[in-house]
Amino acid sequence: MIDGLGRHIAYLRLSVTDRCDLRCTYCMSENAKFLPRQDILSLEEMSIIGHAFVALGVRKIRLTGGEPLIRHNIIGLVRSLGTLVDAGALDELTLTTNGTLLAGHADALALAGIRRINVSLDTLDPNTFAAITRRHRLADVLAGLSAADGAGLKVKINTVIHADTDQDELDRMIEWCGRRGYDLTLIEAMPLGDVAPGRPPISLSSVQAGLARRWHLSPLTDRTGGPARYFRVAETGGRLGLIAPLSSHFCDDCNRVRVNCRGELRLCLAGGASVDLRPALAGPSSQQAVMALILDRIGTKPARHEFSDPNPPINDWSHLPMHAIGG
Ligand code: SAM
Ligand code: SF4
């Protein structure tokens, strides 16, 4: 599937819920409003959407949210999409999770065809964890990670950073991830939704300079078709990724689109109009109808994100926080 600028679209991020058991300050307000349950697609409808994208050439699907593991019977969806991996139609089915419920799901995820997962974790300090997520759940996340290791899942840790993120904290994360054999990606906080006033964003170039004082980082040529730039950390042997949506543009080779949990196709995280796939799901031959609608609109994928636009257009993405978009 090729968009209007010749970019090959091969990656779908499918959000299965906008709800979550944490309240990370940069993602959700404490009193976040969630969609009424009747507005959220069934897992069967999500499976149809996933199959439609794969029939159009998507090779990687990531389940996300909100927190995907709080969705009842999420393993059923994983199994349904996992058959596409078994059939060779999909290279990878994966998921991004906060890890709180991973201990109870790791084995089932591995059995259903997941090989690698991303776990979001910003700190190893219980108090800092509670301050960032507004919940005391670090022990659950660590238990989840141990279960993932036991199930043979390859883990990558995602850490969101701000200008006031403590350098010692980052050093601890790098050392700990290296010891546990986890890749680590540092993500520049993005201004999505009005959820975290007062925390200054950061440019990853300054983070890189800070890290270089303590670690020897050698650039790697690995690209996963995503926005991360990768480095090898000489001291740990681990791989470190940096994602800088604000301080660098990576849109020229963007290969991804998103579908949120109410069935809206979002062609760019921060820009452009969304496309409602639900009418296509309603009729008979729904997979074909969804495919036709996607093909009709894929050409409108914006050239670039609008994070740096001082006057974003009317369909202003910036009012929606990450949990509602599907991170
Ligand atoms: N609940 C799951 C989790 O936290 O991994 C999946 C959904 S979460 C929205 C997906 C990713 O988006 C997480 O890695 C989270 O840290 C990241 N995220 C959320 N809000 C963000 C923001 N404002 N800027 C950058 N990344 C953000
Ligand atoms: Fe929940 Fe993930 Fe958002 Fe944190 S980042 S509030 S875990 S959806």
Side-chain angles (χ1 to χ4, degrees):
M1 185 164 43
I2 308 287
D3 78 358
L5 296 170
R7 293 172 295 192
H8 193 146
I9 307 303
Y11 180 12
L12 170 67
R13 295 174 76 104
L14 182 57
S15 172
V16 300
T17 178
D18 62 342
R19 289 157 200 259
C20 189
D21 52 352
L22 300 183
R23 292 288 183 279
C24 303
T25 48
Y26 44 75
C27 177
M28 227 188 243
S29 65
E30 177 63 272
N31 304 312
K33 296 239 176 334
F34 301 112
L35 291 170
R37 286 188 197 277
Q38 67 269 20
D39 284 5
I40 294 180
L41 296 187
S42 68
L43 293 177
E44 291 70 25
E45 289 171 315
M46 289 180 180
S47 175
I48 290 169
I49 289 175
H51 280 78
F53 273 98
V54 171
L56 289 171
V58 157
R59 301 294 308 182
K60 175 172 172 178
I61 297 180
R62 177 178 301 281
L63 302 179
T64 182
E67 172 47 41
L69 296 183
I70 66 169
R71 180 84 198 242
H72 182 63
N73 198 26
I74 183 66
I75 297 297
L77 177 63
V78 176
R79 279 199 202 103
S80 161
L81 296 174
T83 59
L84 294 165
V85 179
D86 296 339
L90 187 61
D91 294 332
E92 184 169 33
L93 174 63
T94 182
L95 132 141
T96 297
T97 173
N98 64 28
T100 57
L101 300 174
L102 195 50
H105 286 83
D107 286 335
L109 289 171
L111 278 174
I114 294 218
R115 300 284 164 263
R116 300 191 306 161
I117 55 171
N118 287 1
V119 178
S120 303
L121 178 62
D122 296 346
T123 175
L124 296 166
D125 178 82
N127 293 325
T128 312
F129 182 93
I132 294 173
T133 67
R134 302 190 183 102
R135 300 290 185 271
H136 290 271
R137 302 289 301 275
L138 178 61
D140 294 333
V141 178
L142 296 178
L145 284 165
S146 295
D149 294 343
L153 294 169
K154 176 112 181 82
V155 171
K156 178 163 81 68
I157 301 291
N158 282 348
T159 298
V160 172
I161 54 173
H162 296 79
D164 55 0
T165 299
D166 183 35
Q167 179 69 47
D168 292 343
E169 190 79 49
L170 287 186
D171 291 339
R172 269 194 296 279
M173 287 298 286
I174 292 172
E175 191 275 324
W176 179 81
C177 285
R179 197 154 25 90
R180 301 212 30 157
Y182 301 155
D183 287 347
L184 169 66
T185 297
L186 305 179
I187 306 173
E188 183 181 41
M190 293 173 264
L192 287 165
D194 188 18
V195 288
R199 281 204 85 184
I202 190 169
S203 117
L204 277 189
S205 52
S206 64
V207 174
Q208 211 175 318
L211 293 174
R213 287 192 209 109
R214 162 85 198 265
W215 308 97
H216 289 93
L217 305 179
S218 30
L220 296 170
T221 49
D222 317 20
R223 292 300 302 271
T224 55
R229 298 282 179 279
Y230 290 102
F231 299 83
R232 181 70 60 202
V233 184
E235 289 80 356
T236 67
R239 202 167 71 137
L240 179 70
L242 301 179
I243 300 185
L246 303 183
S247 41
S248 67
H249 255 283
F250 38 68
C251 306
D252 290 347
D253 53 359
C254 180
N255 67 348
R256 63 190 57 194
V257 293
R258 292 174 155 79
V259 173
N260 69 12
C261 62
R262 76 198 302 180
E264 290 161 344
L265 167 62
R266 204 176 165 100
L267 297 163
C268 175
L269 173 63
S274 55
V275 181
D276 190 356
L277 299 177
R278 279 172 304 181
L281 282 166
S285 310
S286 50
Q287 183 179 322
Q288 280 65 31
V290 170
M291 288 167 65
L293 187 50
I294 296 167
L295 274 183
D296 185 54
R297 303 305 290 276
I298 199 72
T300 65
K301 181 172 163 66
R304 296 163 80 79
H305 67 65
E306 293 161 354
F307 279 125
S308 335
D309 187 339
N311 300 303
I314 302 295
N315 51 12
D316 186 354
W317 45 267
S318 63
H319 292 319
L320 280 181
M322 194 67 126
H323 75 97
I325 298 170

